[in-house]
Amino acid sequence: MLFADTVVSDPAVHKPKVMLIMLVVATFLLTLFGLNDTIYGEFMRPVIGEPKESGFFGNVATGFVLAIIFVINVVLIGFAAFRVQILIVWLELLLLFLAFFYSFGLNYEFIQSKIWFMITQGVFTTLYISAISIVLASIVAIFGAVAKLSSNGFAFAIASFYTSFFRGLPLLMQVYLIYLGLPQLGYVIDAVPAGVLALTLCYGAYMTEIFRAGIQSINKGQWEASRSMGFGFALTMRRIILPQAMPLIIPPTGNQFIAMLKDSSLVSVIGVWELMFLARTLGNKDFRHMEMLITAALIYWCLSICLELIQSRIERHYNTISH
Amino acid sequence: MLFADTVVSDPAVHKPKVMLIMLVVATFLLTLFGLNDTIYGEFMRPVIGEPKESGFFGNVATGFVLAIIFVINVVLIGFAAFRVQILIVWLELLLLFLAFFYSFGLNYEFIQSKIWFMITQGVFTTLYISAISIVLASIVAIFGAVAKLSSNGFAFAIASFYTSFFRGLPLLMQVYLIYLGLPQLGYVIDAVPAGVLALTLCYGAYMTEIFRAGIQSINKGQWEASRSMGFGFALTMRRIILPQAMPLIIPPTGNQFIAMLKDSSLVSVIGVWELMFLARTLGNKDFRHMEMLITAALIYWCLSICLELIQSRIERHYNTISH
Amino acid sequence: DEALDRVMSSGTLKVATDASWAPQSFLNDDNEMDGFDVDVAREVAKRLGVEVEFVTPSWDIITAGNWNGRWDLSVGSMTPTKARSEVLSFPAVYYYTPAALAVHKDSGAKVESDLDGKNVGAGTATTFELYLQKDLSIDAEGTPEFTYKVTPGKIKSYKDSTAAMDDLRLGDGVRLDGMVGSLPAILSAIKSNYPLRVLGDPVFYEPLALAIDKGDEAFNDKLAGIVGDMKSDGTLKTLSEKWYGVDYTSAVE
Amino acid sequence: MSTPIIEMTNVDKWYGTFHALKNINFTVNEGDKIVVCGPSGSGKSTMIRTLNYLEEHQKGAIRVNGTDMHKKMKNVDTVRMDVGMVFQHFNLFPHMTILQNLMAGPKWVRGVSEDEARKTAMMYLERVRIPEQADKYPGQLSGGQQQRVAIARSLCMKPKVMLFDEPTSALDPEMVSEVLDTMVELANDGMTMVCVTHEMGFAKAVADRVIFMDAGEIIEENDPVSFFDNPQHERTQNFLGQILQH
Amino acid sequence: MSTPIIEMTNVDKWYGTFHALKNINFTVNEGDKIVVCGPSGSGKSTMIRTLNYLEEHQKGAIRVNGTDMHKKMKNVDTVRMDVGMVFQHFNLFPHMTILQNLMAGPKWVRGVSEDEARKTAMMYLERVRIPEQADKYPGQLSGGQQQRVAIARSLCMKPKVMLFDEPTSALDPEMVSEVLDTMVELANDGMTMVCVTHEMGFAKAVADRVIFMDAGEIIEENDPVSFFDNPQHERTQNFLGQILQH
Ligand SMILES: Nc1ncnc2c1ncn2[C@@H]1O[C@H](COP(=O)(O)OP(=O)(O)OP(=O)(O)O)[C@@H](O)[C@H]1O
Ligand SMILES: Nc1ncnc2c1ncn2[C@@H]1O[C@H](COP(=O)(O)OP(=O)(O)OP(=O)(O)O)[C@@H](O)[C@H]1O
Ligand SMILES: [Mg+2]
Ligand SMILES: [Mg+2]
């Protein structure tokens, strides 16, 4: 949490002035959207009449009703405790999104018939490829970061070339280069190792930058103290600098992990049957790709929520120990 | 640079012991690769004979010769000054990669005939879509980060749902949802605005996490000092906290910018003619994909080198002012 | 004849094909490869006397050539052109696809030329798009003649035909007024309740061939022979009727 | 001169289970100069930080400059504008030069013009004898120089009340007396001051009262003369004994 | 007792264009106790930091414990193992408890067993009177408590030479005398010490020599009695004048 400042103002949303402002702003915005023609307008038909007749009045009326619902909701939530607020808002948003998905008119039986295969085949492949790549990329990144911070020109040059090249080229291209290029040098490499190699190199490059920023941010006094106690470079790094850099490194690294989960789908171009590949493939015959894509998207979301929970747990750990 | 420690050891690579070790390790590794069958082996044919005859000996010999070249090179580079070292190593690696590309046996005339169109049409589209999205995403991210750090349950819940949802869903899915889903609610949105919206929301979510980590890392004493002088929240954030968080925020943000450059290619699924789209398209008729993809990759690389240079300049600025 | 040796000695024919191109090749309800192309590949393998195994690399990867023995044969409905044959060898044409125009079922268009000046979509860099651009030349042997029947106002290119159909289904003229695609694909979309209808007759026919890596004449001839046999003994016709309900194995005007 | 500007009534504060302030009661009238002393860890910093609401107290009432300090107060910023604070750890802004550190408050909060802010800043820098460091960054100063910047920064805000947390700890004796002279001047100008310090010379010279804390409690509160010459409490006697012996 | 353990010969140091140390020459023999004093910003911290090679000097030679300190030295870690340092800003490890801070050096560098390291650590924590804080983190201590942890941390390494940079600045007078007592004990055990401090009592009690610095130069160097009673240099006389008047 931000500097709490020890002053928690009264929930602002309970002041009548704030409520009124919220109502006006929400009505205005929603009117701008022109909701008359939309499904929200449909609910209002009995009152406002047909789109063409109601026109601007219809827009305002629809917007106003929605705005009132919104404000009442916000005010009610304001009474709850922090954790309860979070829960309610999450649930509401979830419902909104499910309703949105619902508006696609999907075929749920079809989803049901395929979901098991997507999980056993697709999620499994996605997970093991990402997991291996993430571990390898983190290792690459630590060395890369140290090299990029070193005063050794050779190490610096290699590391900076590496980050530049593997961040600069599209991941798809790296997959191609490794899969199609290495055979030109005489190594025929399989699809999965090629994919893992490409993901490792690419994400290693991104994470090098993250680790560099984290390491760099640690106060010089910490280096001085540990070096003056005779700690070697590696010891200082491992025991003093990295643990303190963790709270800084973890959130962007979490980003990378979540992104990796989805970027691992690029290995499908070389014929690996991971989640996204299946999503695109399974729905093809019956033109049910929206069903499959949405299913895959929700599965990805679940996976990344798991990662987020793990991340916040690790973060809490490091924040507790260093305040 | 890391804590300089004020002790720069003699270039380690000039010690005979280190050289010998490098030579042995390099030979060993290169032998393991089994270079006999590769183009390197070809150069050695006169000495080692045909792959099948030479076998293990051929591998060792090829590895040994390459290792010697490598070590001599490293030792020579060791004599140069820091900047010169970097220059030489970059050039060498560049040459190696160009040689690697060359081994694909590409059709350069074909590339020449298309490159101008790729740059005028593709690069332009890619750049303007990414530029707009990046600016919008940064704005979203600042608000997101503050909300995620606030003690207001409502703000926190919305921000955390936002980051979870838009990081969790594959970007492709977001593009589809916005492009195909919004029309279901009654808004028909064009391809480019849909793409920009999807990129903004997605990257805004990632960058929210980065900004959060940066803001969180600033010493509590800084909040105390500015609050005790009567600075308001916004002023403290803008003048005291964010400037100090910059060195931490910039490197991962640079990552996102570079990644965005390439992810903007996803909008090609809805028919925007950006760089990657052209690369995949232009080569299709004559099966010249590789030519086009490599060209596109090199263009992306150039663009991201530009971003890197800008990044390092900004970083230097913030590091100088805060030591 | 490296490839032929490899196939015969290992006893498996590795076939690269797309997994998302119904009804040519797709994953069926048992999550196995199925479709016209897949059946053709099975038949070819049977006649070679080997097992068949499918892999699903992307189109880019297959058409990059230099397969390095990762797979032996592509049965992927490729249109053989001279330029393409610098990269891959095309042993035999095994069927022809008709291309057709489709419009939303509420559309008022009666003949092809009703789409003149309208927004018409197609998969990007496909022969369909080239047709709309009036720049289509199929220089494979046995390609039937065709004429350009429509002059769209704006050509919208999509990642593939499906994306174009997704836009078309939003409503007549919402984003698109019509699209060009392969007739079988359009028909199966209609069967899957896409609110579309076919406009007029097929606009052109496209020959589609097997492909192999360059440099193995023996394999090339062997496959050409096998496909010839399959044509003459009616196997291909049966397969085509099974999957399309029509015989596409020869071009019909 | 007898309007109370700071009032603490029965204040208790805990850090988790650690009872850091125990039933603190005291009043500072406008223009008063209070010296707080006591052993390390006795809660001196904690106490003066609660006056600024940088630490939350759990029991009792604190009233500063007419405003009650509590969880739901709205105008904490206006209180703080009038209460200057010199931190034990300085808390300078590392990304701003010394001059910028000094000018920030007046310019951004008081709305003083650039020129005037610079003039005031340079005036206080000269008072603490480091005008030549104006364009350096805090990281480039010695410990004592940093501490002087921290003092000057607070003074630039021209607050009504100043809270000093060991403002001379990092200074050499020579500098200590100069800084104390500056503080005496301020004191004579009628500024209200609460100062945590162990400089007994200063206490004797300017303090209206001396407060002695131990283990979170105020053990003794008296005018300086009685405090030093005739300490009542045994703990105080021991403590003062150490100083004099020294 | 007369082997020189620290030798500085004609040392010059610049920060950019600022001449921070000017032609410094001095020698410390094994077992010597040296007190360094001088006004704020005179280069005291800079000087003792060069002894550990935490700052690089640009001219002259520094020899510590038989090793020349220069740009290309290989064994800076072995020198540092035997040279303890208490920083002016403490530099505790914020992610480790007090006990872990104290045990880290002995365990990781000296290879001492866990148990023994804990025993030593607790022993020193008791000497500086904060054994009850062993399981807190540095951020939870008061300023003076942190300073005492910093002192204890260095002592746990059992170095041959100790460099103290104002080790009692954050302490109250009572605590100052306790910490100084600990340092006197160490001194009597024969440890070599260089101590930046303005505690004249300590200087008189244990120092073999007092060094007075001003503006980067050593102005005067003498035994404590002559130094305090009969300062040679005008600058020194002024400086001491301030202290005594105080
Ligand atoms: N965040 C915290 N969590 C737990 N205990 C704390 C925290 N901050 C301070 N303390 C404890 O509260 C007590 C009082 O601390 P405070 O900083 O007020 O002491 P002080 O009188 O200012 O001492 P000093 O003269 O050494 O600065 C100390 O024993 C300290 O250990
Ligand atoms: N990184 C730096 N860049 C520029 N000048 C510096 C830097 N560090 C220190 N100085 C200057 O060098 C001089 C000596 O600093 P030093 O820290 O050695 O003083 P000191 O004698 O320890 O003072 P104090 O008693 O206040 O701690 C000071 O004038 C300071 O401004
Ligand atoms: Mg304190
Ligand atoms: Mg100092």
Side-chain angles (χ1 to χ4, degrees), chain B residues 54-118:
Chain B
S54 52
F56 179 70
F57 164 71
N59 280 339
V60 178
T62 323
F64 185 65
V65 171
L66 282 180
I68 286 189
I69 296 176
F70 172 73
V71 170
I72 291 181
N73 179 28
V74 170
V75 170
L76 286 182
I77 291 175
F79 283 109
F82 187 71
R83 287 180 160 264
V84 182
Q85 286 184 341
I86 296 174
L87 201 76
I88 298 178
V89 175
W90 264 75
L91 280 179
E92 286 186 358
L93 290 173
L94 256 180
L95 283 179
L96 266 182
F97 269 97
L98 288 183
F100 179 57
F101 285 135
Y102 187 77
S103 76
F104 280 85
L106 304 177
N107 180 335
Y108 296 100
E109 272 164 44
F110 187 81
I111 294 182
Q112 238 170 22
S113 70
K114 302 286 182 189
I115 194 165
W116 186 239
F117 184 61
M118 285 179 94

Side-chain angles (χ1 to χ4, degrees), chain B residues 290-309:
Chain B
M290 270 299 136
E291 275 81 355
M292 289 295 94
L293 286 176
I294 289 182
T295 310
L298 293 180
I299 294 178
Y300 276 119
W301 191 11
C302 291
L303 293 179
S304 75
I305 286 182
C306 294
L307 279 186
E308 281 184 329
L309 291 179

Side-chain angles (χ1 to χ4, degrees), chain A residues 9-202:
Chain A
S9 56
D10 214 15
V13 291
H14 289 168
K15 289 182 218 146
K17 217 171 97 191
V18 176
M19 288 187 207
L20 202 72
I21 293 176
M22 279 203 312
L23 188 65
V24 172
V25 171
T27 310
F28 178 72
L29 285 181
L30 290 168
T31 305
L32 268 194
F33 272 147
L35 292 160
N36 198 348
D37 299 336
T38 69
I39 45 165
Y40 302 112
E42 294 303 329
F43 291 119
M44 301 277 294
R45 282 292 165 263
V47 189
I48 59 172
E50 281 310 295
K52 264 156 217 152
E53 299 159 28
S54 53
F56 178 71
F57 164 72
N59 279 338
V60 177
T62 324
F64 184 66
V65 171
L66 281 180
I68 286 188
I69 296 176
F70 173 72
V71 171
I72 291 181
N73 178 28
V74 169
V75 171
L76 286 182
I77 289 175
F79 284 108
F82 187 70
R83 285 179 162 267
V84 182
Q85 285 184 343
I86 296 174
L87 201 75
I88 298 178
V89 176
W90 264 75
L91 280 179
E92 287 186 358
L93 289 174
L94 256 181
L95 283 179
L96 265 183
F97 269 98
L98 289 183
F100 180 55
F101 285 133
Y102 186 77
S103 75
F104 280 86
L106 303 178
N107 179 333
Y108 298 99
E109 271 164 44
F110 186 78
I111 294 181
Q112 236 171 24
S113 71
K114 298 291 182 187
I115 195 164
W116 186 238
F117 184 62
M118 283 180 97
I119 291 177
T120 50
Q121 166 71 32
V123 172
F124 174 76
T125 312
T126 294
L127 275 185
Y128 93 76
I129 290 186
S130 331
I132 298 177
S133 312
I134 280 166
V135 172
L136 295 179
S138 306
I139 297 172
V140 169
I142 291 187
F143 286 97
V146 171
K148 265 203 113 167
L149 289 167
S150 90
S151 53
N152 179 323
F154 196 69
F156 178 87
I158 293 206
S160 64
F161 187 89
Y162 164 68
T163 52
S164 175
F165 188 80
F166 284 95
R167 293 199 301 167
L169 257 50
L171 178 54
L172 178 71
M173 205 51 228
Q174 295 174 31
V175 174
Y176 281 167
L177 283 183
I178 289 173
Y179 190 68
L180 298 176
L182 284 187
Q184 317 262 353
L185 300 183
Y187 317 106
V188 178
I189 185 171
D190 262 355
V192 170
V196 169
L197 188 57
L199 286 171
T200 301
L201 290 175
C202 180

Side-chain angles (χ1 to χ4, degrees), chain D residues 142-144, chain E residues 44-46 88 165-166:
Chain D
S142 79
Chain E
K44 307 179 295 294
S45 298
T46 307
Q88 191 168 10
D165 198 351
E166 313 209 12

Side-chain angles (χ1 to χ4, degrees), chain E residues 29 52 61 79 155 161 185 202:
Chain E
N29 289 326
N52 219 340
V79 178
L155 296 178
V161 182
E185 275 174 50
F202 175 73

Side-chain angles (χ1 to χ4, degrees), chain A residues 114 117 176 178-180 183-184 188-189 268-273 277-278 280-282 284-289, chain C residues 19-22 26-29 31 56-58 60-61 64 66 68 70-71 162 165-166 185 188-189 192 194:
Chain A
K114 298 291 182 187
F117 184 62
Y176 281 167
I178 289 173
Y179 190 68
L180 298 176
Q184 317 262 353
V188 178
I189 185 171
S268 69
V269 298
I270 47 181
V272 179
W273 288 22
F277 178 83
L278 292 179
R280 270 197 293 252
T281 310
L282 288 173
N284 194 273
K285 182 181 141 224
D286 307 316
F287 287 85
R288 293 278 172 216
H289 28 266
Chain C
S20 53
W21 203 22
F26 56 92
L27 289 181
N28 65 15
D29 292 339
N31 302 317
T56 57
S58 73
D60 300 355
I61 294 271
N66 286 321
N68 287 296
R70 282 172 168 141
W71 52 87
T162 319
M165 287 192 268
D166 279 335
S188 66
S192 306
Y194 271 52

Side-chain angles (χ1 to χ4, degrees), chain D residues 210-221:
Chain D
V210 179
I211 289 177
F212 181 76
M213 293 187 70
D214 190 26
E217 284 178 291
I218 295 185
I219 302 253
E220 191 158 350
E221 181 176 352

Side-chain angles (χ1 to χ4, degrees), chain E residues 65-84:
Chain E
N65 205 9
T67 311
D68 273 324
M69 306 293 232
H70 58 80
K71 233 189 161 122
K72 308 211 156 180
M73 64 188 298
K74 300 279 154 58
N75 47 353
V76 68
D77 280 347
T78 52
V79 178
R80 286 176 178 163
M81 267 169 64
D82 286 326
V83 180

